[in-house]
Amino acid sequence: MALAIALVLAFVLNRGWVSAFFSSAPFLKLSTVELEFFMVHELCIQTCNHYIHVQRWIIVLSALALAFAMTFAVRAVVRGTNALVEKRT
């Protein structure tokens, strides 16, 4: 509990190595797809858990890979839809 409180305070106060680490370039790129990832991750986990019957870590890696692929697919569909709507207006 103390560690969780310390992490929350480090994020809130925006100081220290934790904030610097999560502000690095890879995490900034991942933060741009956060909503899409949140939308598809549970579906990907349930799908991989249902169809893949091997070791647990393979299911986890498969679900993560599928979630990232679906994230970028959803993002492309949203961008395409927005571009069509902008053309019509």
Side-chain angles (χ1 to χ4, degrees), residues 14 16-32:
N14 198 17
W17 65 270
V18 175
S19 294
F21 177 71
F22 285 116
S23 297
S24 63
F27 288 106
L28 291 177
K29 181 65 177 166
L30 287 176
S31 70
T32 62

Side-chain angles (χ1 to χ4, degrees), residues 23-75:
S23 297
S24 63
F27 288 106
L28 291 177
K29 181 65 177 166
L30 287 176
S31 70
T32 62
V33 295
E34 179 180 359
L35 175 63
E36 294 87 354
F37 186 82
F38 179 74
M39 289 172 28
V40 300
H41 81 281
E42 187 62 33
L43 175 66
C44 296
I45 292 168
Q46 294 299 328
T47 301
C48 287
N49 200 24
H50 181 73
Y51 288 111
I52 300 174
H53 303 289
V54 291
Q55 294 177 346
R56 192 63 150 174
W57 65 272
I58 295 174
I59 295 171
V60 170
L61 289 178
S62 300
L64 188 59
L66 181 61
F68 276 117
M70 290 297 297
T71 295
F72 288 104
V74 167
R75 189 171 177 90

